[in-house]
Amino acid sequence: MFTRSGIVLIADCAVILLSFAAAFLLRFDLHLDADSLDLIGHTWAFVLVIYLITAYVRGLYRGLYYFSSFPDLIRIAQSVGLAGIASAATIMVVRQGEFPRSVLILHPVLA
């Protein structure tokens, strides 16, 4: 039903979104109020798109199926770092300081 690349893409989306939610949970001591849920609801799409585009541009989906090597690890770290910076910049522009900055730091670490 699903191709291997489709399954990898779905898994990547799940990891990105779960780590985003986990960053919020860690920031707010495992308790999310309505404002936090509203922030997640307004920003998750930006984060997901930026991370997936960065992963594609950095070539993460080329050799990930059969083996992973040290260069693959370097590409993953570069992709996550670049996506973290890009999503932080986008969210800070869109949300104009309403977003907790600690989540912007925690998310790439968890992803």
Side-chain angles (χ1 to χ4, degrees):
M1 183 167 152
F2 288 111
T3 63
R4 187 182 304 210
S5 59
I7 293 171
V8 170
L9 185 66
I10 290 170
D12 281 351
C13 290
V15 167
I16 292 165
L17 294 177
L18 288 174
S19 64
F20 191 60
F24 267 93
L25 285 169
L26 287 174
R27 164 60 179 92
F28 293 110
D29 296 327
L30 303 178
H31 176 71
L32 294 176
D33 57 357
D35 292 334
S36 300
L37 292 173
D38 186 48
L39 278 175
I40 292 172
H42 284 100
T43 55
W44 70 267
F46 293 116
V47 171
L48 184 63
V49 168
I50 289 170
Y51 270 76
L52 290 178
I53 288 172
T54 307
Y56 179 76
V57 168
R58 292 295 306 143
L60 291 187
Y61 302 118
R62 281 187 282 199
L64 204 57
Y65 304 125
Y66 302 110
F67 64 93
S68 294
S69 62
F70 191 71
D72 291 328
L73 180 63
I74 298 295
R75 279 198 302 270
I76 291 169
Q78 289 173 342
S79 174
V80 169
L82 183 61
I85 291 169
S87 64
T90 303
I91 288 172
M92 293 306 287
V93 167
V94 171
R95 296 306 292 184
Q96 298 285 326
E98 299 172 3
F99 201 86
R101 288 177 294 280
S102 58
V103 171
L104 299 175
I105 294 169
L106 282 172
H107 183 237
V109 171
L110 296 174

